[in-house]
Amino acid sequence: MRPATSLSSRLSPQRAPELIRARAGVYLVFLANGLGFANLVPRFPQIVTQLGLSKAAFGQAVAAASVGALVAGLAASWLISRLTSAKVASLGMLVVALALLGAGLARSWIVLAGCLLVVGGTDAIVDVAQNAHGLRVQRRWGASIVTSFHAAWSLGAVLGAAMGQAMAGAGVGIGTHMMLTAVLLLIISVGPLLAGWFLPGQDSADRDPAQPGASDDSHQTSLPASSHRSLPVTVLVLSIVGLLCAASMFPEDVAMNWSSLLLSEQGATAGHVGLGLVALQGTMIVGRLVGDRIIDAAGSRAVIAWGGALVTLGMSIALLLSSVPGTLIGMAISGAGCAVAVPVTYSAADDVEGLPPGLGLTVVSWLARLTGLLAPPVVGWLADDHGLWVALAYGLLGGLIMVTCWPILRRRGTEDDA
């Protein structure tokens, strides 16, 4: 159990303009992070056609992003401790923007895969950094706000998909489209850093010196205290949280990587193949805007368990109806189910006592990406033989894992054996 006095109670309860600007800055980085890759999604059918790729080859190219994440992701904590989470998040988006431009200009499989490798590796670092800085802001804010940051990411994904399909429908070249996207990302993500909106100092400044890895926010989910458990058990717990985090991303992977191809096969036009991503992320926005209140009212376990049930229902509907309307309905229901799962697992990982700033986030994020590494090529291989319904089955598996693994989490304030 933690001491009754939290760090947030020792900080000023007033929300100064500096803190409000920091929160806005984190919103913008999350927005940019969601906006970038989502712009590329509606162009996937065109890229597959231009490069003459099979579904397996396309899946392997997409898997390169996961390889990059695994190779570079563990560097996040090291970079944060030296550059601060704010600088790592904003400057990392510079690299993402340039790599997305390269993917749009790619004229061969190897160039496409190489650019996605860089996108995945840098995004893994940015993901940890933006969440780490968001949790810094949350500690000073004195209330749970982490899911609202992820709502900004979902909003960015919806806007990016809408922008991408509008560009595709208007016949704008992929290279021109991604150039405009890169400029937009630079403005949104680097602007707050140059304007000095983020919290100053090292990330460790907001943590209790007696518990260097503790987050002390009474609104967040946590894992059993590491001081009460052996290292192997702590590693096991983090591994399960990593699996849970990965499973909650499966529906997002389906919408991001496969829904445009699936909808295209089902008869959607070039200007509408991005609607699968819009449907899923649209309900995720709503879920994340109200997510903090739902978590406080129902508890993280219930949110994850019932969320997994919704993902299972949504993907089952998409599989059974096998049509454009069925796919969109399934994506929308699944988005509601996985809306707050990633913020919950990230908060739990960041809450492990005794770890340096960002390390718990780094480990769980890396494990989640490791779990998902084999999925794109496997889905692609199976889709070549059996059809793209396999991608929906992959999303369904994510829902089933969520339904199974929710007991690893507990509400703050409960006993450690809860």
Side-chain angles (χ1 to χ4, degrees):
M1 300 291 290
R2 295 195 187 282
T5 303
S6 67
L7 179 62
S8 60
S9 67
R10 297 193 297 273
L11 296 171
S12 173
Q14 295 182 346
R15 289 161 185 168
E18 293 79 7
L19 185 58
I20 295 174
R21 285 196 294 269
R23 183 175 181 178
V26 176
Y27 277 137
L28 288 175
V29 174
F30 269 87
L31 180 73
N33 190 242
L35 184 73
F37 193 79
N39 261 278
L40 192 63
V41 171
R43 312 309 295 252
F44 280 161
Q46 185 178 349
I47 290 173
V48 168
T49 300
Q50 285 183 352
L51 300 184
L53 302 178
S54 67
K55 295 181 180 66
F58 172 74
Q60 290 164 6
V62 171
S66 295
V67 174
L70 293 177
V71 172
L74 289 177
S77 180
W78 181 85
L79 288 171
I80 288 171
S81 66
R82 283 155 180 78
L83 300 178
T84 75
S85 56
K87 291 180 181 178
V88 172
S90 289
L91 297 179
M93 285 305 301
L94 283 170
V95 180
V96 170
L98 294 175
L100 286 172
L101 175 60
L105 296 173
R107 292 296 177 266
S108 67
W109 179 90
I110 190 65
V111 174
L112 175 64
C115 290
L116 293 180
L117 181 83
V118 175
V119 169
T122 310
D123 179 73
I125 294 172
V126 170
D127 188 34
V128 173
Q130 67 186 7
N131 276 281
H133 203 77
L135 290 168
R136 280 193 71 189
V137 174
Q138 177 174 266
R139 293 182 190 104
R140 296 195 182 190
W141 195 265
S144 180
I145 57 175
V146 67
T147 64
S148 65
F149 293 136
H150 288 258
W153 189 95
S154 294
L155 176 61
V158 169
L159 294 176
M163 177 178 169
Q165 68 182 19
M167 292 284 186
V172 177
I174 299 177
T176 301
H177 171 200
M178 297 315 297
M179 174 68 76
L180 294 173
T181 301
V183 172
L184 186 59
L185 292 182
L186 297 184
I187 294 172
I188 296 174
S189 59
V190 180
L193 180 66
L194 296 178
W197 283 13
F198 296 110
L199 296 178
Q202 294 294 323
D203 289 64
S204 58
D206 298 304
R207 295 174 181 266
D208 188 337
Q211 301 288 350
S215 64
D216 287 309
D217 186 348
S218 61
H219 295 268
Q220 288 306 302
T221 333
S222 66
L223 299 177
S226 60
S227 60
H228 295 177
R229 296 176 182 269
S230 65
L231 178 60
V233 174
T234 300
V235 171
L236 176 62
V237 169
L238 281 175
S239 299
I240 297 174
V241 173
L243 175 62
L244 178 57
C245 183
S248 66
M249 293 178 180
F250 287 180
E252 294 186 69
D253 288 345
V254 173
M256 190 73 75
N257 296 325
W258 300 103
S259 66
S260 60
L261 298 179
L262 179 62
L263 288 169
S264 180
E265 283 195 357
Q266 291 173 342
T269 64
H272 295 87
V273 295
L275 288 178
L277 179 60
V278 171
L280 182 131
Q281 292 293 343
T283 52
M284 287 188 74
I285 293 173
V286 177
R288 287 174 168 179
L289 287 174
V290 301
D292 292 304
R293 282 173 286 176
I294 293 176
I295 291 170
D296 287 340
S300 60
R301 286 183 163 195
V303 167
I304 296 298
W306 286 104
L310 284 176
V311 170
T312 302
L313 173 63
M315 290 296 169
S316 297
I317 289 174
L319 276 165
L320 292 173
L321 297 185
S322 188
S323 63
V324 171
T327 297
L328 296 182
I329 292 171
M331 291 292 111
I333 295 174
S334 298
C338 63
V340 301
V342 172
V344 165
T345 54
Y346 276 3
S347 295
D350 192 61
D351 192 57
V352 177
E353 297 179 6
L355 296 180
L359 183 56
L361 279 171
T362 299
V363 171
V364 166
S365 176
W366 188 85
L367 289 173
R369 294 172 191 273
L370 175 63
T371 305
L373 172 62
L374 297 178
V378 169
V379 170
W381 290 327
L382 292 175
D384 277 333
D385 293 334
H386 304 288
L388 278 168
W389 65 267
V390 173
L392 297 174
Y394 163 55
L396 175 63
L397 175 63
L400 295 175
I401 293 174
M402 290 173 65
V403 170
T404 303
C405 293
W406 60 265
I408 196 65
L409 302 174
R410 67 175 176 85
R411 283 283 295 173
R412 173 82 65 185
T414 59
E415 295 299 324
D416 289 336
D417 59 355

